[in-house]
Amino acid sequence: MTVFVGRTSELERLMSRLERAIRGEGGAVFITGEAGAGKSTLTQRFLVDAALRTPEARVISTDCSEQYGAGEPYQPFVDAFRDLLSDEHGGAKRSLRDIGRQLAPYWVQAIPVAGDIIAATMVTAAELKQTLGGATATAAPPSEEALFFQYTELFLAAATEHPMVLFIDDLHWADRASVSLLGHLVRRISDKPALVVGTYRPADVEVSKHPIKQAKLELERYGVAEELALDALDLLSLSEFVVQELGARPTPDLLHLLEQRAGSNPLFFGELLKWLVEQDLAVERDGEWDLSASFEDIEIPRSVESVIEKRLSHLDPDTYRVLEYASVEGDEFDSTVLAQLLDVDELELEERLDPIVRAHKLIRFAETRDLPSGEPTSVYEFNHTLTQDVLHRNLQGKRRILLHRKIADILERTYAPETESIFHKLAFHFDQGRVPERAWNFALEAAGRASRVYAHWDAIDLLKVALRNSRSAAEQMAALERLGDEHRLAGHYQEALRNLNQALDAATAEETPVAALILKRKIASIERDCGSSSPDELRHRLDALAEEARRMQERAELCEILWLLGKITGTGADIALEALSIAEVLDDSHLVARAQFELGGALMGGENPAEAVPHVREALRLGEQAGDKFRMGRCFNCLGIIEVLVGDYDEATRAFAAAAELFDALADPMTEAAVRNNLGQLLLRMGRFQAAEENLLEAIRLARRMDATARLLHHLENMARVQQAVGEAERAEKVWQELLDLSKGMGYWESEIVAHCGLGFLFLDAGDSDRARAEHDAARSLLHDEAWTECREDLDMLAARLAAHDGDVQAAVRILGDAEAELVSRDPYLWATFRLMHAELVFLDNATQAEQMVHECLETFGKLRTQPMMERANQLLARIGG
């Protein structure tokens, strides 16, 4: 069975129509769609489901042949007749062979019965024509009406024995006699338990003026037929197509390429996907299928090209030339520009385009658009990008170059003075027309416009055009830097590093110190996310960059360096305050907004997270004022974290939802991963483990896809906690060990401490206190100083549990009390967690104190609605007797 996606509603409609037919409301359904739209896949699934759900029904399948066509009259009905009589259906009251001899003698004469089987030598429609068309000594040839009557009577007799389903594929190749017989048959089964299902391609029917179109319309007027037109598949269905075909979902990059090159045609989509896998251009990584090459390195598979070229070969030369020239403009073209390119009257062109839309269905009318001059133009689109690709590729040599130059000139004249909207088109045409100076300028401008609306893939394509047309080291450096920035925004971290390092080499060679300073900072930022450099190494490099920026008085760049330095050191409040003071002196609203946000992020990790709120809200206000959705999304995400820390989980959920909505619209994978990680941690605390795992799995996938190893650390930590919470000790240990290996390899000592503690908790729960203590000691040895950091939460909890295990309750209580004092203003959930363990240790000696402490914990857990901890607190309360 081929892949079946996106056609559930159509399948249900067919099954509903079958149920009506079985009740005696017979008729026909015509499934229509272009080549590869999924007609055969849908009907195959329908016929299988029909046989399973209604085993009493008799299903007969036949098809029309392109090879024989009109030269073989009745060909599909000859095959169906043979199937009808030679394959008896169990439980029939009468033999259809005997009935056939009585009701359809002419047909049996042409396809004779030898004993109880159909003669193997009389099987073709040509023999039927010869037998029925020639007079004999005893009988004149039968009339068409007699043939129709006999065939129909036999079919109706069969329907009295069992409900009948007749499927005829590819009716666009049916001969006229078969179409006439089909119409006669369908009209007669309107009150019988019978259903006819046929498929055809509307484009082929329109071009050849095939009679099936008129036959369908007449049957619809009789009320015995309906059309089921297959629409394009949506992106969700195309993604599911990949899942069913390959067993894992595609990355956005792979899905984008498939949809861009193959459109939503399942045949083209599937062939391109198969070809990508066979050529190792699509590979599986961490449970997802991704591209292993850049878009421009990927060609169209020959199997797809042949389907398109076959359709194009049927066109007359004038029609082909119109489409060929239209392909020069691109996937979308307009009549005004194309008329000038062809040097024809625009009305004449419109009349030539109309049959290409209606009959050939190779293009579609999109809209009527006003040009800058106020004149309207008709905008058309190719139904498939692949069609435009094949046409454009077939243009060879200087002819193609000159056509692109000519169309660029036409576009500039037509859209002047409002050419900004077509910068991307001009960049493409000047690139193809080999005019590098103009291609570079337009590509860079168009890339900026695309980036501002978060169309990163489009921006990357345009910047590659700019890079290809760079004429100097300065132009090359500018294109490479912009390309690196866009690759980072799209989540292509290794590509971004490659581009930025190439730009740095150019900046060094050209002796442009400011450009080199900026590029070094950008490289350090990506290396931080990737984990390819240790925090100590990055801190040393950034300290040097900060001094260099001060020496050169590059204050805006100094702000950028300070913000990055603050993230690495983990003590960013003072650094963030310095950056804010610089931004305010510069009086740059964008810098001030960023400075407020970074200061809020630094304060968020301090003793009182609520101090961060006014700064983040100010950054949000400035972001809203500027229409900066990215800044707004980051602010909402930050506010969500703060609300978690201050204990307002409802507000945190709303903030994360607002951030997710913005980042979903922006298609920014890095920030989406961050939001999902934070939401996963919140859901874990609330006991919604399945939802937490789903969000964390997605965050991990995104981080792995981008090779953002440093960002992956927090995602793995939270995933390990989820597995531990649901009792999956083996899975938890595997994740903790991966976190330990990664953080050790990158020099992230805080994550390494957390991983050691996570393993220690697992070993202690399993009764292996020696291994648990070894993990604690390893974690303790990594602690740089006694200042409170997030990793201290796990370290102190493990230390307290080990002390309690050894019977030193006093030491355990002292550790817990010190942690509670630190956490009371930092995180109410963690404070209550430590407090509850404190109560568990003291209740045997002081039940009254323990009961009071448990009630304090229950008040906090109840307010937060953290169900697992509420249950644990209530269990202790029951043991105390309170």
Side-chain angles (χ1 to χ4, degrees), residues 814-831:
R814 184 176 64 254
I815 294 169
L816 293 170
D818 291 343
E820 289 168 43
E822 289 285 352
L823 290 168
V824 66
S825 62
R826 293 176 184 267
D827 189 333
Y829 173 85
L830 288 174
W831 170 83

Side-chain angles (χ1 to χ4, degrees), residues 296-407:
E296 60 266 23
D297 295 334
I298 296 174
E299 302 175 354
I300 305 171
R302 184 60 197 159
S303 57
V304 173
E305 274 192 351
S306 62
V307 175
I308 296 169
E309 288 174 347
K310 185 176 181 180
R311 289 193 68 187
L312 295 175
S313 67
H314 295 151
L315 302 174
D316 62 79
D318 287 343
T319 300
Y320 187 90
R321 183 168 179 265
V322 168
L323 288 174
E324 188 179 42
Y325 275 45
S327 74
V328 178
E329 190 171 352
D331 292 344
E332 177 187 283
F333 61 92
D334 68 61
S335 58
T336 301
V337 173
L338 184 57
Q340 293 181 61
L341 188 64
L342 288 163
D343 195 21
V344 299
D345 178 73
E346 194 168 346
L347 178 58
E348 177 188 342
L349 175 63
E350 290 279 4
E351 290 174 349
R352 288 164 66 176
L353 290 171
D354 186 66
I356 304 177
V357 173
R358 298 180 184 278
H360 300 288
K361 298 189 183 298
L362 291 166
I363 60 176
R364 57 178 173 267
F365 174 77
E367 62 174 328
T368 299
R369 183 182 299 163
D370 287 339
L371 296 170
S373 64
E375 279 295 307
T377 186
S378 298
V379 180
Y380 295 87
E381 298 171 341
F382 280 91
N383 278 337
H384 291 293
T385 301
L386 292 173
T387 304
Q388 185 261 338
D389 282 346
V390 169
L391 286 162
H392 188 253
R393 187 182 296 120
N394 288 342
L395 282 165
Q396 297 294 326
K398 191 170 182 179
R399 179 172 171 236
R400 180 163 71 178
I401 294 171
L402 293 174
L403 281 171
H404 278 290
R405 289 181 185 176
K406 185 174 180 180
I407 207 169

Side-chain angles (χ1 to χ4, degrees), residues 17-27 56-58 155-166 188-196:
R17 187 64 189 86
L18 175 61
E19 291 172 2
R20 286 170 50 202
I22 291 174
R23 295 196 301 266
E25 300 176 36
E56 72 276 13
R58 179 77 181 276
F155 193 85
L156 295 177
T160 62
E161 299 293 326
H162 295 282
M164 295 294 296
V165 178
L166 173 61
R188 292 291 305 280
I189 63 173
S190 61
D191 59 349
K192 299 296 188 295
L195 180 66
V196 175

Side-chain angles (χ1 to χ4, degrees), residues 228-287:
L228 180 57
L230 299 188
D231 296 326
L233 294 178
D234 57 23
L235 279 179
L236 184 62
S237 298
L238 294 174
S239 179
E240 181 59 27
F241 186 108
V242 179
V243 172
Q244 289 194 28
E245 191 72 20
L246 302 180
R249 67 182 183 175
T251 63
D253 280 356
L254 175 58
L255 189 61
H256 173 69
L257 175 119
L258 287 165
E259 193 269 339
Q260 185 185 64
R261 292 290 181 88
S264 55
N265 182 291
L267 173 63
F268 296 167
F269 192 91
E271 287 295 321
L272 181 56
L273 176 63
K274 177 182 176 183
W275 186 81
L276 290 172
V277 173
E278 288 174 349
Q279 300 298 316
D280 292 326
L281 295 171
V283 295
E284 188 174 11
R285 295 193 188 106
D286 300 306

Side-chain angles (χ1 to χ4, degrees), residues 504-517:
L504 179 58
D505 290 341
T508 303
E510 290 296 302
E511 297 183 354
T512 52
V514 175
L517 177 68

